[in-house]
Amino acid sequence: MLQVVKMSCFDRSLRQTEPEEIDARSNSVSSPQHSRVNGWSLPLHLFQLIAWLLYSYLAIVGFGIYIPLLPHGWKYAAYATIGLVFVCHLIAHLVAITIDPAEPNVLAKKNYNLPMPVFDKKKHKHVIQNLHCYLCEVSVGHKAKHCSACNKCIADFDHHCKWLNNCVGRKNYCNHLQSHIPFPCC
C-alpha cells in the first residue's frame, strides 16, 4: 500500500504571492493615512537631507576654497561658470521637489487633509483596474501608477525618488534629470 506524504515545502502557505490576511488588531502592516503633497511633505527622507548637506558642502568648498586658489585671471570666469551651474541645479532641484506630480483627476478631486480609504483586496485585485484607482477613487491615464510612498496616483509614473522625496512623473521629469547631475542614480 502506497502512503502519500504531504511535504511541507509544497504547502500552499509557502507559495502565496499576496499577503496573508492581517488581523484587525495587528498593526504590523499599515498604509499611509494621508497623501504626500510634494517633496516637502513630512516625513523627510534621509537621502533628501544628505542631498542638501552635500549641495551646501560643495558650494562652501567650491566657492570658499577651490576658486580662491585659482590664478587671478581665472577666478572671475570660474565664479561665473560654477555659480551659473549651482544656480541652475538649485532651481531645477527646488522645482522638482515642489511640483505635485499627481494625475490631473487626482488633483481636481483630492483633499490632502482627509485620510485615504483603505484598499480592500477582497473587492479588487489591484489598486488600479480598468484605468480606475480604487484608493484615489478617480479615473486615471494608462501610464499612471499609484505610488505607495506618496499614496496617490502619479501621471506617467517613473519612480519615487528618495533624493527629492517626491515621485517623478510627467510634470517634473525634466527637472528631475537636471537636479540629479551630482546624484546620477536613484
Side-chain angles (χ1 to χ4, degrees):
M1 175 189 244
L2 200 82
Q3 185 179 12
V4 177
V5 177
K6 189 174 182 181
M7 297 187 64
S8 63
C9 65
F10 296 110
D11 191 16
R12 169 99 175 118
S13 65
L14 298 176
R15 294 183 286 133
Q16 286 185 336
T17 58
E18 61 184 36
E20 294 181 22
E21 291 294 321
I22 298 172
D23 189 12
R25 292 168 281 160
S26 172
N27 248 352
S28 61
V29 177
S30 63
S31 62
Q33 292 297 318
H34 296 279
S35 298
R36 300 175 59 81
V37 177
N38 54 30
W40 301 112
S41 299
L42 296 176
L44 299 178
H45 196 277
L46 178 64
F47 283 5
Q48 184 180 21
L49 299 174
I50 290 171
W52 285 109
L53 288 174
L54 184 60
Y55 184 83
S56 301
Y57 172 78
L58 291 174
I60 292 167
V61 169
F63 291 109
I65 297 173
Y66 291 135
I67 293 178
L69 291 175
L70 290 174
H72 183 70
W74 289 77
K75 285 183 185 179
Y76 299 112
Y79 276 122
T81 305
I82 302 300
L84 183 65
V85 169
F86 265 77
V87 168
C88 288
H89 178 269
L90 179 66
I91 291 170
H93 196 87
L94 290 173
V95 169
I97 290 174
T98 306
I99 287 178
D100 185 358
E103 183 75 26
N105 292 341
V106 172
L107 289 174
K109 185 181 178 198
K110 190 140 203 75
N111 183 352
Y112 287 104
N113 295 324
L114 298 176
M116 289 288 291
V118 177
F119 181 65
D120 187 6
K121 280 206 170 257
K122 293 176 185 173
K123 293 181 183 177
H124 311 287
K125 277 182 137 177
H126 304 285
V127 176
I128 297 176
Q129 276 185 315
N130 299 326
L131 300 179
H132 182 78
C133 178
Y134 290 98
L135 275 181
C136 296
E137 298 173 345
V138 295
S139 296
V140 295
H142 67 282
K143 290 184 180 180
K145 183 179 180 243
H146 190 90
C147 176
S148 59
C150 292
N151 202 16
K152 62 183 173 186
C153 288
I154 307 300
D156 294 343
F157 182 84
D158 188 64
H159 69 285
H160 182 85
C161 181
K162 295 174 185 175
W163 297 103
L164 297 175
N165 198 27
N166 199 8
C167 280
V168 177
R170 177 188 320 145
K171 295 180 183 175
N172 62 350
Y173 188 77
C174 290
N175 297 104
H176 167 263
L177 290 178
Q178 293 170 356
S179 72
H180 273 51
I181 292 170
F183 316 108
C185 52
C186 273

